[in-house]
Amino acid sequence: MIPRPFEYRFTVQLHDTDAAGRLFFAHLFRHAHDAYEALMREIGQPLPPMIAAQTLLLPLTHAEADYLQPMQHGERICVEVEVLELRQRAFSLDYRFLDAAGRLAARARTVHVQIALEPGSARSLAPELRAALEPHLAAAPTE
Amino acid sequence: MIPRPFEYRFTVQLHDTDAAGRLFFAHLFRHAHDAYEALMREIGQPLPPMIAAQTLLLPLTHAEADYLQPMQHGERICVEVEVLELRQRAFSLDYRFLDAAGRLAARARTVHVQIALEPGSARSLAPELRAALEPHLAAAPTE
Amino acid sequence: MIPRPFEYRFTVQLHDTDAAGRLFFAHLFRHAHDAYEALMREIGQPLPPMIAAQTLLLPLTHAEADYLQPMQHGERICVEVEVLELRQRAFSLDYRFLDAAGRLAARARTVHVQIALEPGSARSLAPELRAALEPHLAAAPTE
Amino acid sequence: MIPRPFEYRFTVQLHDTDAAGRLFFAHLFRHAHDAYEALMREIGQPLPPMIAAQTLLLPLTHAEADYLQPMQHGERICVEVEVLELRQRAFSLDYRFLDAAGRLAARARTVHVQIALEPGSARSLAPELRAALEPHLAAAPTE
């Protein structure tokens, strides 16, 4: 069983920081994507063969982040990833970056749209992709 | 005279791309920040001495981007930067990434909040910073 | 007991690759540095407090790498790190990048020189740093 | 006429630096590759179509750098690029990173080997590539 929310951990490395002594904001998205790759691998939808075969691509159409606390060199961060929305041909993910004390240091969101490189296909998300993502949908419908 | 909107140009380098053959989404933010650094230099508010002296920091509290067209290796991109909003202690910037044909390939936005490291100061944006940013406000003169 | 050689593992992420479909060469050095940071943490000489306190710096004076096999998106790589040489005021590290089949995909080397920011000190490596690195010296003198 | 040595300029950006306040060593190689891409474009051998068509690849087999002076955020750096050696199926490039005062801050070297993806071809460097690189051979008084 994959825990829910899915957790991905990393340590803020020297190259993540800048001369201001904090994680450079753009690198947060690199870590968010690493968490996304880890989730996809866990749910049996690994990106590398998809991208190598070029049958299906899931490019980002939107990305955003809110920075609440600076992340320092050496900090251990836990990223909680959930599926925020599953739509016809797209899905969005929510990432919560928690520091060692469990405080929310940053939050990010990415939106992915399925592009099929073979014509005629893919008016909607691949069924096995949808089925794999569904258990990771954030919270209940009433929320 | 600095043209309005401020323009910053770059070429998509090999390291900007990924195995899917396009600019990796997180690198757009790196280029947005380069454009921001270039604008700040042009308007007489260069970041390097600010960060080195640590008297004033302008960390990002929010960043977002919309990706409309893939950007390929070797493409020459023009980034148009404008100030979207000037607030009491924060400002936001808008970045339009245009390809060689002038098509909008991506759009980004960053929000910066002034943090003064010396106590008692900086309830509001430094006056010379505000004055330098004002001519680059996107909006109309009546606003 | 820390195994010898010290091992650090990573997966080649999408952002590590470029449009040619392989790990972009410069990113190998980023991973080498991550392995170095992990080793230093393991041997009780973590870099973050050193850099934050600025009492001691260990900047690189040299870095090099040989690329033997392309590393693809999704590959799991094991980096074996050993101390190649311990000198008066410097040390060098050797990194072997092994793919899942144990084949050598790349090799790297970094040289670090100790700089003391307080005058009068540090004509030689800090004794506790030297003692911590010694057990990781590569192989015997007869090699 | 392309000046000799070929010159490529960049400014050290915030994301080039790390918490120690200097250019992070691995990023030097990113800039070296940007200089290489710029040289190849200038001499009529641009990398993007080569990589997109995958007829010819010039992967690096070796990279190295010596770091002589720290490069700070905001510094303007000039990279002088020369061809160090032209061999049967490989070539090497030399990069000198000069600061605004003309002091050598770092030096790098990359070795590239031609790989032809079509069988039967390319036992030697493509003639037009060789001809384009030759004028940039580093002076060789005795050679």
Side-chain angles (χ1 to χ4, degrees):
Chain A
M1 259 305 282
I2 304 167
R4 250 212 61 196
F6 176 73
E7 293 183 353
Y8 172 83
R9 287 162 200 283
F10 71 95
T11 299
V12 178
Q13 305 286 351
L14 184 56
H15 57 74
D16 283 321
T17 62
D18 61 30
R22 302 147 168 227
L23 179 122
F24 181 72
F25 84 105
H27 296 330
L28 190 86
F29 291 103
R30 182 161 52 73
H31 291 294
H33 200 273
D34 287 355
Y36 161 58
E37 288 207 53
L39 171 66
M40 294 294 275
R41 193 164 50 229
E42 277 302 310
I43 64 174
Q45 300 287 316
L47 295 184
M50 258 187 234
I51 290 172
Q54 299 257 323
T55 46
L56 198 77
L57 288 178
L58 301 167
L60 281 100
T61 53
H62 181 78
E64 66 176 88
D66 289 294
Y67 304 87
L68 309 172
Q69 303 283 343
M71 283 170 267
Q72 316 282 352
H73 181 204
E75 270 197 78
R76 291 173 187 265
I77 304 292
C78 174
V79 190
E80 293 182 352
V81 190
E82 286 185 301
V83 179
L84 214 61
E85 213 182 359
L86 265 176
R87 302 185 63 170
Q88 175 78 356
R89 213 165 59 87
F91 60 91
S92 61
L93 299 174
D94 176 64
Y95 310 82
R96 286 185 297 285
F97 292 75
L98 305 168
D99 68 13
R103 274 174 311 204
L104 190 64
R107 188 156 198 168
R109 190 160 69 88
T110 57
V111 181
H112 304 254
V113 173
Q114 179 175 289
I115 291 180
L117 299 177
E118 283 155 7
S121 63
R123 293 258 175 77
S124 48
L125 282 184
E128 57 285 5
L129 174 60
R130 178 179 299 276
L133 287 171
E134 238 158 21
H136 291 276
L137 260 170
T142 48
E143 277 189 43
Chain B
M1 257 307 281
I2 304 166
R4 249 209 66 193
F6 176 72
E7 293 183 353
Y8 173 82
R9 289 161 199 282
F10 71 95
T11 299
V12 178
Q13 305 286 350
L14 185 55
H15 56 74
D16 282 321
T17 62
D18 62 31
R22 302 146 168 230
L23 179 123
F24 181 72
F25 83 105
H27 297 329
L28 189 87
F29 291 104
R30 183 162 50 74
H31 291 294
H33 200 274
D34 288 354
Y36 161 57
E37 288 207 51
L39 171 66
M40 293 294 273
R41 194 164 49 231
E42 277 303 310
I43 64 175
Q45 301 286 316
L47 294 184
M50 259 187 231
I51 290 172
Q54 300 256 320
T55 43
L56 198 76
L57 289 178
L58 300 167
L60 282 99
T61 53
H62 180 79
E64 66 176 86
D66 289 293
Y67 303 88
L68 309 172
Q69 304 284 343
M71 281 169 267
Q72 318 281 353
H73 182 202
E75 270 195 80
R76 291 173 186 262
I77 303 292
C78 175
V79 191
E80 293 181 352
V81 190
E82 287 184 301
V83 179
L84 214 61
E85 212 182 1
L86 265 175
R87 302 184 63 171
Q88 174 79 357
R89 213 164 59 87
F91 59 93
S92 61
L93 299 175
D94 176 63
Y95 310 82
R96 287 184 299 282
F97 292 75
L98 304 168
D99 69 14
R103 273 174 313 203
L104 190 65
R107 188 156 198 168
R109 191 161 68 88
T110 56
V111 180
H112 304 255
V113 173
Q114 178 176 290
I115 291 181
L117 299 177
E118 282 157 9
S121 63
R123 293 254 176 79
S124 49
L125 282 184
E128 57 285 4
L129 174 59
R130 178 179 298 277
L133 288 171
E134 240 157 20
H136 292 275
L137 260 170
T142 50
E143 273 190 49
Chain C
M1 260 304 283
I2 305 166
R4 253 215 57 198
F6 176 72
E7 294 182 352
Y8 173 82
R9 287 160 201 284
F10 71 94
T11 299
V12 178
Q13 305 286 349
L14 184 56
H15 56 75
D16 283 321
T17 63
D18 62 31
R22 304 147 166 229
L23 179 121
F24 181 73
F25 84 105
H27 297 329
L28 189 86
F29 291 103
R30 182 161 51 75
H31 291 295
H33 201 273
D34 288 355
Y36 161 57
E37 288 207 51
L39 171 66
M40 294 294 275
R41 193 164 49 229
E42 277 302 309
I43 64 174
Q45 300 287 316
L47 294 184
M50 257 187 236
I51 290 171
Q54 300 256 321
T55 44
L56 198 75
L57 288 179
L58 300 167
L60 282 100
T61 54
H62 181 78
E64 65 176 88
D66 289 294
Y67 304 87
L68 310 171
Q69 304 283 345
M71 283 169 265
Q72 316 283 354
H73 182 202
E75 271 197 79
R76 291 174 186 263
I77 304 292
C78 175
V79 191
E80 293 181 353
V81 190
E82 286 185 302
V83 178
L84 213 61
E85 215 183 359
L86 265 175
R87 301 185 65 172
Q88 174 78 359
R89 214 164 59 87
F91 60 92
S92 61
L93 299 175
D94 177 61
Y95 310 81
R96 288 185 297 284
F97 292 76
L98 305 167
D99 69 13
R103 273 175 312 203
L104 191 63
R107 187 156 197 168
R109 191 161 68 88
T110 55
V111 180
H112 303 254
V113 174
Q114 177 175 291
I115 290 180
L117 299 176
E118 283 156 9
S121 62
R123 292 255 176 79
S124 48
L125 281 185
E128 57 285 5
L129 174 60
R130 179 179 298 275
L133 288 171
E134 240 157 20
H136 292 276
L137 260 170
T142 49
E143 276 191 43
Chain D
M1 260 304 283
I2 304 167
R4 249 213 62 198
F6 176 72
E7 294 183 352
Y8 173 82
R9 288 161 199 283
F10 70 94
T11 299
V12 178
Q13 305 285 351
L14 184 56
H15 56 74
D16 283 320
T17 63
D18 61 31
R22 299 146 169 232
L23 179 121
F24 181 72
F25 83 106
H27 298 328
L28 189 86
F29 291 103
R30 183 162 49 74
H31 291 294
H33 200 274
D34 289 354
Y36 162 57
E37 289 207 52
L39 170 66
M40 294 294 274
R41 192 164 51 228
E42 277 302 310
I43 65 175
Q45 300 286 316
L47 294 184
M50 263 188 230
I51 291 172
Q54 300 255 320
T55 45
L56 198 77
L57 288 178
L58 300 167
L60 280 101
T61 54
H62 181 78
E64 66 176 86
D66 289 293
Y67 303 87
L68 308 171
Q69 302 284 345
M71 282 168 266
Q72 317 282 353
H73 180 203
E75 269 195 78
R76 292 172 186 263
I77 304 291
C78 174
V79 191
E80 293 181 353
V81 191
E82 286 184 301
V83 178
L84 213 60
E85 214 182 359
L86 265 175
R87 303 184 63 171
Q88 175 78 358
R89 216 165 56 88
F91 60 91
S92 61
L93 300 174
D94 176 63
Y95 310 82
R96 286 184 301 283
F97 292 75
L98 305 168
D99 68 13
R103 273 174 313 203
L104 191 64
R107 187 155 197 168
R109 190 161 69 87
T110 56
V111 181
H112 303 255
V113 173
Q114 178 175 291
I115 291 179
L117 299 176
E118 283 156 8
S121 62
R123 292 254 176 80
S124 47
L125 281 184
E128 57 285 5
L129 175 59
R130 179 180 298 276
L133 288 171
E134 239 156 21
H136 292 275
L137 262 169
T142 51
E143 277 184 46

